[in-house]
């Protein structure tokens, strides 16, 4: 979708994006999605499945794995720490 919207060949887009942002398009999209997960965990009581779908993950399991890998803890633990 990003390549189509840019009007650039895939490789050109990847190179320009990497030069400008310092990471690849997919890495940036993942970072943004996880930041939104974090925000929703902190500010809502939505169930993990709803957060996952709202943030573009296929399900809560995929989101939980990605979140734990990036943040060092599962989303439920993160949410519990925010509520203290």
């Amino acid at each position: 979708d990003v390549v189509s919207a840019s009007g650039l060949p895939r490789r050109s887009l990847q190179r320009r994006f990497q030069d400008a942002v310092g990471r690849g398009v997919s890495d940036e999209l993942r970072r943004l999605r996880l930041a939104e997960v974090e925000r929703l965990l902190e500010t809502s009581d939505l169930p993990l499945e709803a957060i996952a779908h709202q943030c573009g993950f296929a399900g809560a399991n995929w989101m939980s794995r990605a979140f734990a890998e990036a943040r060092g803890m599962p989303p439920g633990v993160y949410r519990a720490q925010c509520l203290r």
Side-chain angles (χ1 to χ4, degrees):
D1 290 343
V2 175
V3 172
S4 295
S6 74
L8 296 170
R10 178 179 302 273
R11 186 65 191 126
S12 294
L13 173 64
Q14 289 173 338
R15 190 178 5 212
R16 287 181 186 186
F17 196 90
Q18 178 74 34
D19 290 346
V21 179
R23 61 187 149 270
V25 173
S26 61
D27 290 338
E28 179 64 4
L29 291 173
R30 180 180 169 126
R31 185 190 72 75
L32 292 170
R33 290 166 56 202
L34 289 171
E36 181 64 3
V37 169
E38 201 171 86
R39 186 188 72 76
L40 290 171
L41 289 170
E42 293 170 1
T43 62
S44 79
D45 60 353
L46 290 171
L48 295 182
E49 194 68 35
I51 291 173
H53 288 290
Q54 188 169 330
C55 295
F57 289 92
N61 289 338
W62 287 104
M63 179 193 74
S64 294
R65 286 178 56 188
F67 190 90
E69 183 181 299
R71 302 298 193 267
M73 68 183 76
V77 173
Y78 181 84
R79 177 179 263 170
Q81 286 183 355
C82 291
L83 296 176
R84 289 188 202 169

